[in-house]
Amino acid sequence: MSHHHGPTPGSIATALPRFALVGSPNAGKTTLFNSLTGLRAKTGNYPGVTVARYEGRHVLDGRDVVVEDLPGAYSLEAISPDEQVVAEALATGAVADSGLDGVLVVLDATNLRRSLGLLAQVQNLDLPSLVVLTFTDELSRRGGSVDVDALARAVGTRILPVVAGERRGVAALSEAMADVATWPRPIVAPPTNPDEVAAWATSVLESARFRAPGSDPRTRRIDAVLLHPVWGSLVFFAAMFTFFQLIFTVAAPVQGWIESLFGWLGGLARAGIRTDWLASLVADGLIAGVGGVLVFLPQIALLFLLVSLLEGTGYLSRAAFLMDRVMSMAGLEGRAFVALLSSLACAIPGIMATRTLPSAKDRIATMMGAPLMTCSARLPVYVLLIGMLVPSDVRWGPVGAQGVIMFALYLLGALSAMVSAWFFKRIVGRSGVALPFYMEMPPYRVPRGRTIAVAVWDACRAFLRKVTGIILVATLALWALLNFPIQGPDELAAAGVDPGDSVAVAAHTLDNSWAADVGRAVGPVFEPLGFDWRVNVGVLSSLAAREVFVSTMGQVAAAEDPEDPTAALAHMTHTDGERAGGPVFDPPTIAALLVFFVYALQCVSTLGVMRRETGTWRWPAIAFAYMGALAWVMALLARLATEALL
């Protein structure tokens, strides 16, 4: 029934017929958008998740039409950038020959009184509009009711009830969109004065014989615990703690299979490719580098599975409510927590989510803290380094030490983000009176399996795209740096290296490579942290993407010992007595590295988005500088503390 492209803002020609979806956060708007277009736009149970304009195509009577999902908004009188996007899009669309053929106003049947104010504002724009009434099934289940036909007569607009997931309702909506020319308009436009709008809404509800739904008993009972300031916070932290235990226990077997697969592929490449340099490029560059990052795909999938489950059940809005109290200590509010929470997946959507903050100064403060939240790109680095630091069998009863360290790193990142936001809020200054923070508290729902599966797959697909894009390019560049200049037999013999000893040749080539030159050049900067040139190269390469650190270490190990990279990596972690030199990764160095990655802003894409959102390079430059300095200082303290403990 539909084709899809995207979702990407502003990607489709404006010549096609165009419909906009408008509604308050959590009204079911994005779910409807997905049903119409087949797109997989992200949904959430709190304001600020959808902060960009997403477009998709829907096939209507054999031709494409554009459906645009505007950000969730409570009013067209914008108090934040995301509501400004909605107001401007509809104001532009109201101008002849400039845009919208129709507006689909999505109203939540369980929150009709609040929703009618937005409908009144849309109707005053004199655009063809149709009301999509969602959650009518939930309205009935909770003892409420509404006469849909009477409601349509009262507002002067056609109304279609559509229950999420039901194809019948979506098909009826599609037919109605094809017939946009016949959509009725109110004979008398609704009032514009806020008091008069409230009275108008009351008369509309009376005419529609609306009976408000009762509170959901199950939701009420669960919220008595989960919204409790003490018990709710304990449940939240317990859930997070349990998750990080699962990261290592559940994902470990799958990770082992992937490691074995890429090890086998590397062996095939070395055996099957006759040209030495090409065999090295394929086996040590492509397979070892990319495979070294892909091995962490199970952890990425688990992370997004948890987040999707929490979103789907309606729990994340409760978490935002709990954290509103905490954010107030930093001079911010719950909207800022939503932005920081979004940064757990990636700092980019977190920075974009600051558009929901009414104050520009609050937006800056939150942006400066968002990159400190532990994003999914840090996960492979943490798993690799924690695995080097603590054996998997170290446990305290049922609790694994590796999971505890991972939880502590996430907690450190979150606390640091809060402190950073607090600091920049004080530096930038306050901005007027705090505006109210609207928080949706939807009933708890059983998440749809398909929705969860799609969310996890999309996250994994984005990770795979990154691996086959920027990480692949960085991996190939690193292979060249680690393997050039190539030395001939005479040069090797002059250096006292037997040209027939592949391990000795590899070690000599690595030690005299361009990468070694770069790593040693920056040595004075990182020497106090205990990093040797190999680690320096990994840190520098991670500026492209944090995961590249993992592929760099994989390539270093493969370049050091092509026959057995695993043994080479083990040697870098422990001194085995058979080869010269101490371990590259001793406990103080690993502790310093872990803390360094908590604080350093190693993501070019994040800096670019920060530039776009602030309109200047000033704030990205400040963010990069202060996080780099903080990473160095905190890593040094971590090293000194670890040395003192040992």
Side-chain angles (χ1 to χ4, degrees), residues 180-235:
V180 63
T182 65
W183 288 1
R185 303 194 187 195
I187 298 171
V188 178
T192 54
N193 179 281
D195 292 331
E196 292 177 2
V197 169
W200 172 81
T202 299
S203 68
V204 166
L205 294 175
E206 287 175 355
S207 301
R209 295 183 287 280
F210 176 70
R211 186 167 74 246
S215 60
D216 187 71
R218 178 182 58 188
T219 296
R220 194 169 58 244
R221 286 194 301 271
I222 298 174
D223 278 349
V225 177
L226 295 187
L227 293 182
H228 190 277
V230 176
W231 300 119
S233 301
L234 287 175
V235 168

Side-chain angles (χ1 to χ4, degrees), residues 84-226:
Q84 187 66 36
V85 167
V86 181
E88 289 177 358
L90 295 183
T92 304
V95 179
D97 302 323
S98 68
L100 295 172
D101 293 84
V103 180
L104 304 176
V105 186
V106 183
L107 303 186
D108 179 355
T110 63
N111 274 306
L112 255 186
R113 180 176 293 277
R114 187 206 59 202
S115 305
L116 285 173
L118 179 62
L119 174 62
Q121 290 177 320
V122 173
Q123 288 180 324
N124 273 294
L125 295 174
D126 197 31
L127 283 165
S129 58
L130 180 146
V131 171
V132 180
L133 195 63
T134 58
F135 299 119
T136 50
D137 54 337
E138 193 171 296
L139 177 70
S140 301
R141 185 174 63 80
R142 289 164 53 187
S145 62
V146 64
D147 184 330
V148 175
D149 292 336
L151 180 64
R153 288 193 296 272
V155 297
T157 299
R158 186 174 177 181
I159 296 180
L160 278 177
V162 176
V163 175
E166 280 193 5
R167 293 184 180 178
R168 225 174 10 179
V170 175
L173 176 58
S174 184
E175 290 176 11
M177 290 167 66
D179 209 17
V180 63
T182 65
W183 288 1
R185 303 194 187 195
I187 298 171
V188 178
T192 54
N193 179 281
D195 292 331
E196 292 177 2
V197 169
W200 172 81
T202 299
S203 68
V204 166
L205 294 175
E206 287 175 355
S207 301
R209 295 183 287 280
F210 176 70
R211 186 167 74 246
S215 60
D216 187 71
R218 178 182 58 188
T219 296
R220 194 169 58 244
R221 286 194 301 271
I222 298 174
D223 278 349
V225 177
L226 295 187

Side-chain angles (χ1 to χ4, degrees), residues 157-482:
T157 299
R158 186 174 177 181
I159 296 180
L160 278 177
V162 176
V163 175
E166 280 193 5
R167 293 184 180 178
R168 225 174 10 179
V170 175
L173 176 58
S174 184
E175 290 176 11
M177 290 167 66
D179 209 17
V180 63
T182 65
W183 288 1
R185 303 194 187 195
I187 298 171
V188 178
T192 54
N193 179 281
D195 292 331
E196 292 177 2
V197 169
W200 172 81
T202 299
S203 68
V204 166
L205 294 175
E206 287 175 355
S207 301
R209 295 183 287 280
F210 176 70
R211 186 167 74 246
S215 60
D216 187 71
R218 178 182 58 188
T219 296
R220 194 169 58 244
R221 286 194 301 271
I222 298 174
D223 278 349
V225 177
L226 295 187
L227 293 182
H228 190 277
V230 176
W231 300 119
S233 301
L234 287 175
V235 168
F236 178 70
F237 282 104
M240 295 297 105
F241 187 84
T242 303
F243 166 67
F244 292 116
Q245 292 295 310
L246 294 175
I247 280 275
F248 286 95
T249 55
V250 174
V254 185
Q255 187 175 357
W257 300 335
I258 299 174
E259 278 179 343
S260 300
L261 171 65
F262 279 97
W264 176 72
L265 289 173
L268 281 182
R270 286 191 193 91
I273 301 175
R274 300 295 180 189
T275 310
D276 288 345
W277 71 266
L278 184 58
S280 173
L281 172 62
V282 174
D284 305 333
L286 292 176
I287 296 176
V290 172
V293 179
L294 278 179
V295 81
F296 299 102
L297 186 61
Q299 282 90 351
I300 299 291
L302 267 177
L303 172 68
F304 284 95
L305 175 63
L306 174 80
V307 172
S308 299
L309 285 171
L310 294 181
E311 280 184 356
T313 56
Y315 178 68
L316 278 192
S317 60
R318 274 76 183 177
F321 177 80
L322 285 170
M323 292 299 110
D324 185 47
R325 301 186 187 98
V326 180
M327 296 305 293
S328 65
M329 292 189 286
L332 301 170
E333 35 95 320
R335 291 184 190 89
F337 173 73
V338 171
L340 294 180
L341 192 70
S342 302
S343 301
L344 282 177
C346 174
I348 291 171
I351 290 169
M352 291 175 66
T354 60
R355 297 177 191 175
T356 62
L357 295 168
S359 161
K361 295 181 178 180
D362 281 5
R363 288 200 295 279
I364 294 292
T366 308
M367 273 185 215
M368 300 306 277
L372 291 171
M373 296 294 287
T374 300
C375 63
S376 59
R378 288 180 173 98
L379 193 57
V381 180
Y382 287 173
V383 173
L384 175 73
L385 293 174
I386 292 171
M388 290 178 173
L389 182 64
V390 181
S392 59
D393 57 357
V394 177
R395 307 185 69 82
W396 299 299
V399 177
Q402 291 182 333
V404 173
I405 294 173
M406 179 76 84
F407 177 73
L409 290 171
Y410 268 74
L411 193 60
L412 177 62
L415 291 174
S416 300
M418 291 277 298
V419 172
S420 171
W422 173 84
F423 175 79
F424 279 99
K425 181 65 186 284
R426 296 298 176 276
I427 295 298
V428 176
R430 295 189 62 83
S431 176
V433 180
L435 291 163
F437 172 37
Y438 294 100
M439 176 58 67
E440 292 292 331
M441 290 292 173
Y444 291 99
R445 300 186 179 107
V446 177
R448 295 176 176 272
R450 182 180 180 276
T451 303
I452 298 298
V454 163
V456 174
W457 166 242
D458 283 352
C460 292
R461 189 176 57 176
F463 178 68
L464 291 170
R465 255 199 320 265
K466 195 174 183 183
V467 168
T468 54
I470 187 170
I471 293 175
L472 178 61
V473 172
T475 294
L476 292 174
L478 278 165
W479 176 86
L481 289 172
L482 290 165

